Short mmCIF file of all heavy atoms in Angstrom, two decimals:
data_model
loop_
_atom_site.label_atom_id
_atom_site.label_comp_id
_atom_site.label_asym_id
_atom_site.label_seq_id
_atom_site.Cartn_x
_atom_site.Cartn_y
_atom_site.Cartn_z
N LYS A 56 7.81 10.49 -9.66
CA LYS A 56 7.21 11.68 -10.26
C LYS A 56 7.93 12.93 -9.76
O LYS A 56 7.93 13.20 -8.55
CB LYS A 56 5.72 11.76 -9.93
CG LYS A 56 4.91 10.59 -10.47
CD LYS A 56 3.42 10.77 -10.19
CE LYS A 56 2.85 11.93 -11.01
NZ LYS A 56 1.38 12.01 -10.88
N PHE A 57 8.56 13.65 -10.66
CA PHE A 57 9.37 14.80 -10.28
C PHE A 57 8.85 16.08 -10.95
O PHE A 57 8.51 16.08 -12.13
CB PHE A 57 10.83 14.57 -10.68
CG PHE A 57 11.44 13.37 -10.01
CD1 PHE A 57 11.50 12.14 -10.67
CD2 PHE A 57 11.93 13.44 -8.73
CE1 PHE A 57 12.05 11.03 -10.07
CE2 PHE A 57 12.49 12.33 -8.10
CZ PHE A 57 12.55 11.12 -8.77
N ILE A 58 8.82 17.15 -10.16
CA ILE A 58 8.46 18.47 -10.67
C ILE A 58 9.64 19.40 -10.39
O ILE A 58 9.95 19.69 -9.22
CB ILE A 58 7.18 19.00 -9.99
CG1 ILE A 58 6.02 18.03 -10.23
CG2 ILE A 58 6.83 20.39 -10.53
CD1 ILE A 58 4.77 18.34 -9.44
N LEU A 59 10.33 19.80 -11.43
CA LEU A 59 11.53 20.61 -11.30
C LEU A 59 11.16 22.09 -11.40
O LEU A 59 10.67 22.54 -12.44
CB LEU A 59 12.55 20.23 -12.37
CG LEU A 59 12.83 18.72 -12.50
CD1 LEU A 59 13.90 18.48 -13.57
CD2 LEU A 59 13.24 18.12 -11.17
N CYS A 60 11.37 22.83 -10.34
CA CYS A 60 11.00 24.24 -10.28
C CYS A 60 12.20 25.07 -10.75
O CYS A 60 13.12 25.36 -9.98
CB CYS A 60 10.62 24.63 -8.85
SG CYS A 60 9.36 23.55 -8.11
N THR A 61 12.20 25.45 -12.02
CA THR A 61 13.37 26.07 -12.63
C THR A 61 13.25 27.59 -12.70
O THR A 61 12.18 28.16 -12.55
CB THR A 61 13.59 25.52 -14.05
OG1 THR A 61 12.50 25.94 -14.89
CG2 THR A 61 13.68 24.01 -14.05
N GLY A 62 14.40 28.22 -12.95
CA GLY A 62 14.46 29.67 -13.09
C GLY A 62 15.70 30.04 -13.88
O GLY A 62 15.71 30.02 -15.10
N PHE A 63 16.78 30.33 -13.17
CA PHE A 63 18.06 30.71 -13.78
C PHE A 63 18.54 29.61 -14.73
O PHE A 63 18.66 28.46 -14.35
CB PHE A 63 19.08 30.95 -12.67
CG PHE A 63 20.48 31.22 -13.15
CD1 PHE A 63 20.79 32.39 -13.82
CD2 PHE A 63 21.50 30.30 -12.93
CE1 PHE A 63 22.09 32.65 -14.26
CE2 PHE A 63 22.79 30.53 -13.36
CZ PHE A 63 23.09 31.73 -14.03
N LYS A 64 18.76 30.00 -15.99
CA LYS A 64 19.24 29.08 -17.03
C LYS A 64 18.40 27.80 -17.10
O LYS A 64 18.91 26.68 -17.22
CB LYS A 64 20.72 28.75 -16.83
CG LYS A 64 21.63 30.00 -16.97
CD LYS A 64 23.08 29.64 -17.08
CE LYS A 64 23.95 30.89 -17.24
NZ LYS A 64 23.63 31.67 -18.46
N SER A 65 17.10 27.98 -17.06
CA SER A 65 16.18 26.83 -17.11
C SER A 65 16.33 26.03 -18.39
O SER A 65 16.06 24.82 -18.42
CB SER A 65 14.74 27.31 -16.97
OG SER A 65 14.38 28.14 -18.07
N GLU A 66 16.80 26.69 -19.46
CA GLU A 66 16.92 25.99 -20.75
C GLU A 66 17.92 24.83 -20.68
O GLU A 66 17.80 23.86 -21.44
CB GLU A 66 17.33 26.98 -21.85
CG GLU A 66 18.72 27.57 -21.74
CD GLU A 66 18.80 28.77 -20.81
OE1 GLU A 66 17.77 29.11 -20.17
OE2 GLU A 66 19.89 29.38 -20.74
N VAL A 67 18.89 24.91 -19.79
CA VAL A 67 19.87 23.84 -19.65
C VAL A 67 19.19 22.57 -19.10
O VAL A 67 19.43 21.46 -19.59
CB VAL A 67 21.04 24.27 -18.73
CG1 VAL A 67 22.03 23.12 -18.54
CG2 VAL A 67 21.73 25.50 -19.30
N ILE A 68 18.33 22.75 -18.10
CA ILE A 68 17.60 21.62 -17.53
C ILE A 68 16.59 21.08 -18.53
O ILE A 68 16.44 19.86 -18.69
CB ILE A 68 16.92 22.04 -16.21
CG1 ILE A 68 17.99 22.39 -15.17
CG2 ILE A 68 16.01 20.92 -15.69
CD1 ILE A 68 17.43 22.91 -13.86
N LYS A 69 15.91 21.99 -19.23
CA LYS A 69 14.94 21.55 -20.25
C LYS A 69 15.62 20.71 -21.32
O LYS A 69 15.13 19.65 -21.71
CB LYS A 69 14.27 22.77 -20.88
CG LYS A 69 13.29 23.50 -19.97
CD LYS A 69 12.67 24.69 -20.69
CE LYS A 69 11.67 25.40 -19.80
NZ LYS A 69 11.05 26.56 -20.48
N SER A 70 16.73 21.18 -21.80
CA SER A 70 17.46 20.47 -22.85
C SER A 70 17.93 19.10 -22.36
O SER A 70 17.86 18.11 -23.09
CB SER A 70 18.65 21.30 -23.32
OG SER A 70 19.40 20.62 -24.30
N TYR A 71 18.40 19.03 -21.13
CA TYR A 71 18.91 17.77 -20.58
C TYR A 71 17.84 16.69 -20.59
O TYR A 71 18.09 15.55 -21.00
CB TYR A 71 19.41 18.01 -19.15
CG TYR A 71 20.01 16.79 -18.49
CD1 TYR A 71 21.31 16.38 -18.80
CD2 TYR A 71 19.30 16.06 -17.55
CE1 TYR A 71 21.87 15.26 -18.19
CE2 TYR A 71 19.85 14.94 -16.94
CZ TYR A 71 21.14 14.55 -17.26
OH TYR A 71 21.69 13.44 -16.66
N PHE A 72 16.62 17.05 -20.16
CA PHE A 72 15.57 16.04 -20.08
C PHE A 72 14.86 15.82 -21.41
O PHE A 72 14.40 14.71 -21.70
CB PHE A 72 14.59 16.38 -18.97
CG PHE A 72 15.18 16.14 -17.60
CD1 PHE A 72 15.66 17.18 -16.84
CD2 PHE A 72 15.29 14.85 -17.10
CE1 PHE A 72 16.23 16.96 -15.59
CE2 PHE A 72 15.86 14.60 -15.86
CZ PHE A 72 16.33 15.66 -15.10
N LEU A 73 14.76 16.84 -22.24
CA LEU A 73 14.18 16.66 -23.56
C LEU A 73 15.02 15.70 -24.41
O LEU A 73 14.49 14.93 -25.21
CB LEU A 73 14.07 18.01 -24.28
CG LEU A 73 12.85 18.88 -23.94
CD1 LEU A 73 12.98 20.24 -24.59
CD2 LEU A 73 11.56 18.20 -24.37
N ASN A 74 16.33 15.74 -24.20
CA ASN A 74 17.24 14.91 -24.99
C ASN A 74 17.79 13.72 -24.21
O ASN A 74 18.73 13.07 -24.65
CB ASN A 74 18.41 15.76 -25.49
CG ASN A 74 17.95 16.88 -26.40
OD1 ASN A 74 17.41 16.64 -27.48
ND2 ASN A 74 18.14 18.12 -25.97
N TYR A 75 17.20 13.44 -23.06
CA TYR A 75 17.73 12.40 -22.17
C TYR A 75 17.80 11.04 -22.87
O TYR A 75 18.80 10.32 -22.79
CB TYR A 75 16.85 12.28 -20.93
CG TYR A 75 17.50 11.51 -19.79
CD1 TYR A 75 18.27 12.18 -18.84
CD2 TYR A 75 17.35 10.14 -19.66
CE1 TYR A 75 18.87 11.49 -17.80
CE2 TYR A 75 17.94 9.44 -18.63
CZ TYR A 75 18.70 10.13 -17.70
OH TYR A 75 19.31 9.45 -16.68
N HIS A 76 16.75 10.70 -23.59
CA HIS A 76 16.67 9.39 -24.24
C HIS A 76 17.78 9.23 -25.27
O HIS A 76 18.53 8.24 -25.26
CB HIS A 76 15.30 9.22 -24.90
CG HIS A 76 15.02 7.84 -25.38
ND1 HIS A 76 14.98 6.74 -24.54
CD2 HIS A 76 14.79 7.35 -26.62
CE1 HIS A 76 14.72 5.66 -25.24
NE2 HIS A 76 14.61 5.99 -26.51
N SER A 77 17.91 10.20 -26.15
CA SER A 77 18.91 10.09 -27.22
C SER A 77 20.34 10.24 -26.69
O SER A 77 21.26 9.59 -27.19
CB SER A 77 18.65 11.13 -28.31
OG SER A 77 18.66 12.44 -27.77
#
Side-chain angles (χ1 to χ4, degrees):
K56 298 184 68 173
F57 299 97
I58 302 171
L59 310 182
C60 307
T61 66
F63 175 69
K64 296 193 179 300
S65 63
E66 67 276 5
V67 178
I68 295 176
K69 289 181 179 180
S70 178
Y71 182 78
F72 287 101
L73 278 173
N74 298 296
Y75 195 90
H76 190 61
S77 58

